Amino acid sequence: MSRTLLAVDGLGKTFASRDRGEPVKAVDDVSFTLDQGETLGLVGESGSGKSTITRCLVGLERPDTGTVTYDGFDVLRAGRDERRRFRREVQLVFQNPYASLNPRMTVEDLVGEQLLVHQGRRSREGRRERVVEVLEMVGLTGAHLPRYPAQFSGGQRQRIAIARALVSEPKVLICDEPVSALDVSVQAQVINLLRAMRRELGLTVLFIAHDLAVVRQLCDRLLVLKDGRVVEEGSREQVYGAPAHEYTRALLAAVPIPDPAADRARRRHYQESR
Amino acid sequence: MTSMTTSALLRRPVLRLRRMPKLDRAAFAMVGLLLLTVAFGPLLAPYDPYHVDLGQAMLPPGAEHWLGTDSSGRDVLSRVLYGARPTILGSLCAVGLSALIGVTVASLAALAPRWVDDAIMRICDIALSLPIMVMALGISVALGPSLRSAIIAMVLSWWPSFTRLARAEIRTTMTSTYVESAVITGVSRWRLMTRHVLPNSLDSVYVQVTLEIGGATLIMAGLSFIGAGAQPPSAEWGAMVESGSRFLTSAWWTAVVPGAVITLTALAFALAGDALRARTSGREVM
Amino acid sequence: MRTPRNTPASDSSADGEALLDVRGLSVDFPVAGGRGRTLRIVRELDLTVAPGERVALVGESGSGKSVTARALLRLDRHAVIGGQILFEGRDLVTLTERELRRIRGTRIAMVLQDPQTTLNPVLSIGDQLAETLTIRGVPRKAALVRAREALDRLGVARAGERLRAYPHEFSGGMRQRVCLAMAIIGDPAVLIADEPTTALDVRVQQQVLELIDELAAESGMAVLLITHDLGVVAGYADRVAVMYAGRKIEGSGVEDFFAAPRHPYAQGLLRSVPRVDRDVSTDLDLIPGTPPNPAEPPSGCAFHPRCDRWVERCLTEIPELRVLQDEERAVACHRALPEREEVVA
């Protein structure tokens, strides 16, 4: 039986509007659970609130309402030790590997930072050993240790970012659009890497994305967001096979398919099912 | 997207002397020469800069004294070489200390609660609205005129501008994804600042330091000239100009030589700073 | 709903009906601080666009697709352009800047990726739209009327009011519509759309692409669509040209291409794209490695380090783009001929 690892309940966040006018409800009463070992997709267009949810989860933003429960404790009101545990066990991979790596740090320091912060007792050699181990897991080598991010391609940078997240042996990996900034051929490599890591490390993954095609390759279950609210929730088969909500259907109908015949057929299908 | 990556690729970020424009190269060479003078000037000086010999007074430039002698018969070349230390080193100290204080205050402001941050910045605004020369003059007079008080005066009036600059840069860096990533990792505030924020924020501060040294040299010399800085008979360029200016018609070199050196120093640092700025601003660290 | 138009899936320009005929295009950029050294970003590129035809130029970053698009109108001042760009009987490469200006915007228009930066934030939408015409001598009143018509045509509601609005009051999709309106207001013969929907949400992408399609169908305007998205190609192009490391490596009709691409890179690319209409049970079949750095392209065929079919010859000899026998497609690969179909899932 799977047990719930992360639970979000009634999450809400309102931002003051930039110009005059109404404050914007970025996230409005969103609840979901993440079971151990599953991959949940959080799908939505820009302004759907998916980034705000991510930021609330990792503590970059404080929600106005709602609770986040991780492995039995309330993350937002957790004590020092619990919060440290949360930070170690829940890791985030950012969207843009060109922006998420400190350009002035070497790969060794970037990947090893977690160890330094959370397991300061380890020696430099001990840390390096673990860093090399993780680098090899993601398809890089120890030879990359002294290099700087600028010396890597986008795909390799995303591998470094994934290594950085995996080094402290997390239980949950939150991926915020991890492949949307990458080239198609490189995108596939990173998707495969994420699939392999999930399989080999038994990771629980929360996958935030706008690209329904990418989400289909990775997620067991989906949550479709629109204007800060959940409009549809279901298994992959359900959501892709028989979308219940109008909005989900519109989204699915709009994703281009690299196959002219299938593209035409699909459009007809979703238009008729309307 | 393609054209962007291509243009980034075409840019060569490395600071390469051989590829530099001639003017930039000249500026950097001049700065190097000035720093060498600061270090070794006294060793190179042919005469004792304080040796008074009225029999040798106001000799024009010649074989014996390359740049002539002043009204007390002291060798001008030797005094200029000695004077590099108080003038340039003094400016370096003043600007360096200002930058250090500025960056420190800015870092604290960035980590402090919002209202502390705001208060610090308002103080800087007020300090910045006071004319630097007048403020320096006041402080210098209050502490008694000397090289040291000139430096203190300059630091007191200069740190706010560095605080403002550093604060703006730090603010930008703080919003970058890699800093957020470090925050999520749970690094300490000290590590966040020293490893993630400051190394990515200080480029423009370095440039500003280089740019300001030229200006500081002028102010330092200016303070000495009006009697608020280094005092005669010390070999300080501004003081030399001041004492020489009385003999401008009879012995022009006593004022013009140190004056020219001051101008050259200010110019060299300003140009070098500009070159540095062009290099760092055109560069993407990514 | 769009229907695929029946245009000959030919890649040759021999039929002489090409509107835009690019022959042996090369684009070089000077290396900054490189003392006159240049970098060749696009090499020996042939491309034809027939009247009313929709051609897609596909590639990953660094492939040279955007540089090609911009070179057609000579938008990069530093670029050194070689070869010929024949348009309505004239070679755009040799035209003076003045003559070219009369073609830009009126005969050949362009839409860029980011509508945010294309529009001037301090000018109203109406002023910007009208400007395209007033600089060509159309009186302001008449220009504003046509601006309004253009917005109407693009389905912008309350067009009259919207003319007085400023870009920041518009959403991304709306801004791209305005850019489109600016592009078509002069009734161009060719529209070059450089990643026009990359910055947009998927539903807005669909709307904008369909708009381009409708406009092209109505006015007989040809479209050159620059994109990295094979899905977009499948839905909105008649012919496709694939670029890799500055060269065109495959060109054919869209149906043929998606039925069975012939170049190993094109095959790999198509297999790499995740599809929304399919679950994957196995991992995506992928191309190893990363696209090459344009500054240091590999020897011989630029794709050989990532290719699983290379032979000795690929390391030294650059494959020419050849029209395949009995097929209306051109492929630049030494190994393209023997293999067939094994990629089609």
Side-chain angles (χ1 to χ4, degrees), chain C residues 294-310:
Chain C
E296 296 152 353
S299 67
C301 171
F303 185 63
H304 85 255
R306 304 175 74 187
C307 187
D308 55 3
R309 266 196 254 162
W310 64 274

Side-chain angles (χ1 to χ4, degrees), chain C:
Chain C
M1 197 84 259
R2 169 209 49 92
T3 46
R5 259 171 273 150
N6 285 323
T7 32
S10 143
D11 199 71
S12 70
S13 54
D15 41 5
E17 57 168 322
L19 177 65
L20 184 66
D21 186 358
V22 179
R23 293 181 187 171
L25 180 77
S26 68
V27 186
D28 299 70
F29 280 92
V31 178
R35 291 181 171 171
R37 275 200 311 133
T38 58
L39 206 57
R40 183 152 285 191
I41 304 295
V42 176
R43 299 157 191 267
E44 296 163 34
L45 185 100
D46 295 334
L47 190 73
T48 61
V49 181
E53 192 182 27
R54 304 169 304 165
V55 178
L57 196 57
V58 200
E60 297 183 278
S61 56
S63 65
K65 60 183 189 303
S66 277
V67 172
T68 303
R70 298 172 63 81
L72 295 182
L73 283 177
R74 296 190 1 216
L75 293 178
D76 291 310
R77 270 186 304 138
H78 303 293
V80 182
I81 297 169
Q84 289 180 305
I85 305 169
L86 301 173
F87 174 71
E88 294 181 332
R90 295 206 280 177
D91 185 356
L92 303 188
V93 176
T94 57
L95 289 190
T96 63
E97 185 62 28
R98 206 189 153 88
E99 290 169 313
L100 198 62
R101 234 176 290 149
R102 252 175 280 161
I103 291 179
R104 276 189 207 136
T106 41
R107 300 305 296 148
I108 304 180
M110 196 156 178
V111 183
L112 301 174
Q113 173 177 347
D114 188 359
Q116 186 98 45
T117 52
T118 314
L119 296 172
N120 185 338
V122 301
L123 287 181
S124 73
I125 299 297
D127 283 341
Q128 296 190 55
L129 280 168
E131 191 187 23
T132 325
L133 296 170
T134 50
I135 54 173
R136 292 186 177 79
V138 178
R140 195 181 141 76
K141 272 246 171 79
L144 278 171
V145 171
R146 279 179 62 186
R148 196 190 152 154
E149 285 167 8
L151 284 186
D152 265 337
R153 251 172 100 192
L154 289 175
V156 175
R158 291 175 291 125
E161 256 170 71
R162 293 306 189 96
L163 285 179
R164 281 189 299 275
Y166 287 85
H168 71 90
E169 299 171 51
F170 281 45
S171 67
M174 268 313 186
R175 277 196 288 255
Q176 195 58 298
R177 278 169 208 243
V178 173
C179 290
L180 251 181
M182 273 172 85
I184 59 144
I185 198 168
D187 249 331
V190 182
L191 174 71
I192 301 175
D194 186 2
E195 302 262 14
T197 57
T198 306
L200 305 177
D201 276 326
V202 58
R203 285 181 311 152
V204 185
Q205 156 167 300
Q206 189 183 29
Q207 290 162 5
V208 169
L209 289 172
E210 247 147 47
L211 260 173
I212 294 179
D213 241 23
E214 279 164 30
L215 292 171
E218 267 170 39
S219 61
M221 173 177 77
V223 179
L224 180 62
L225 182 66
I226 318 293
T227 181
H228 68 277
D229 189 335
L230 284 173
V232 168
V233 177
Y236 302 94
D238 306 312
R239 267 193 317 119
V240 56
V242 184
M243 287 188 74
Y244 188 79
R247 287 174 187 277
K248 179 170 153 188
I249 53 109
E250 179 156 355
S252 71
V254 159
E255 303 280 340
D256 287 349
F257 177 82
F258 284 99
R262 286 312 205 65
H263 194 285
Y265 170 66
Q267 294 172 345
L269 198 61
L270 194 53
R271 278 179 309 199
S272 305
V273 188
R275 288 180 57 156
V276 75
D277 60 336
R278 269 184 208 166
D279 277 337
V280 275
S281 44
T282 56
D283 281 341
L284 296 170
D285 208 346
L286 48 80
I287 313 174
T290 48
N293 180 342
E296 296 152 353
S299 67
C301 171
F303 185 63
H304 85 255
R306 304 175 74 187
C307 187
D308 55 3
R309 266 196 254 162
W310 64 274
V311 288
E312 210 73 4
R313 197 172 158 208
C314 304
L315 308 185
T316 51
E317 198 183 319
I318 297 174
E320 253 176 70
L321 192 70
R322 290 166 306 169
V323 178
L324 298 190
Q325 253 177 349
D326 308 325
E327 276 191 76
E328 304 214 12
R329 70 165 100 198
V331 178
C333 177
H334 297 308
R335 307 266 291 150
L337 290 170
E339 275 77 12
R340 269 230 76 161
E341 310 279 319
E342 85 273 37
V343 284
V344 194

